[in-house]
Amino acid sequence: MKVSLRAGERIYVNGAVLRVDRKVSVELVNDVMFLLEGQVMQASDATTAMRQLYFIVQLMLMNPTDVRDATALYGQHHAALCAVCESKEMLEGLAAIDELVGATRYFEALKRIRGLFPVEQAILAGTTTEFPFQAA
């Protein structure tokens, strides 16, 4: 896989942070876990349940040698989301995400989570016809 980076941009590869000083293309010739700087969510941006799930899975991808704590946190957060969610689309998405995380396919899981951000936003804005979360 070939990745193009701009000057000053960072890429996170198997837990290492690399910053380039000029425009460069990098070819990743073996199977690695990586995130581009634009895909990295800051803790302060994890303001909704799905964004928090994204942040947790991101931690698993960025530090693959020590995922024990993040895996435990993921399990708790995922279970809590499944327990309160009634939206079929969200539940199917959460099931797919769990399969991807279980197979250590973190990048694909992050992509699937990002795909559910608009669904979550519609739920939170009350613009969906479903009642996706149970009343507390």
Side-chain angles (χ1 to χ4, degrees):
M1 168 175 268
K2 193 171 189 176
V3 179
S4 295
L5 302 168
R6 296 181 302 268
E9 192 172 15
R10 293 181 184 135
I11 184 170
Y12 302 79
V13 181
N14 283 354
V17 181
L18 307 169
R19 183 176 50 199
V20 297
D21 62 355
R22 63 184 65 96
K23 184 176 178 179
V24 66
S25 291
V26 176
E27 185 175 0
L28 303 172
V29 294
N30 62 345
D31 191 24
V32 298
M33 288 191 250
F34 73 94
L35 275 179
L36 298 174
E37 187 172 13
Q39 298 166 324
V40 174
M41 180 180 291
Q42 300 302 314
S44 60
D45 295 327
T47 56
T48 67
M50 289 305 292
R51 289 178 181 277
Q52 291 165 358
L53 189 67
Y54 184 97
F55 188 78
I56 295 165
V57 175
Q58 172 185 285
L59 292 174
M60 298 163 85
L61 187 146
M62 292 175 79
N63 192 7
T65 59
D66 184 18
V67 297
R68 188 181 67 231
D69 291 341
T71 301
L73 186 57
Y74 165 82
Q76 294 168 359
H77 195 74
H78 185 271
L81 278 170
C82 289
V84 298
C85 187
E86 293 178 351
S87 165
K88 182 180 178 185
E89 185 176 6
M90 287 293 280
L91 287 170
E92 288 173 355
L94 287 168
I97 291 161
D98 200 44
E99 285 182 31
L100 292 168
V101 168
T104 65
R105 294 174 51 199
Y106 303 129
F107 184 81
E108 291 92 344
L110 292 174
K111 188 174 176 180
R112 187 76 161 104
I113 295 168
R114 281 192 309 268
L116 290 174
F117 286 170
V119 177
E120 180 187 41
Q121 193 58 43
I123 290 167
L124 294 173
T127 58
T128 181
T129 57
E130 292 186 74
F131 294 100
F133 297 107
Q134 298 173 354

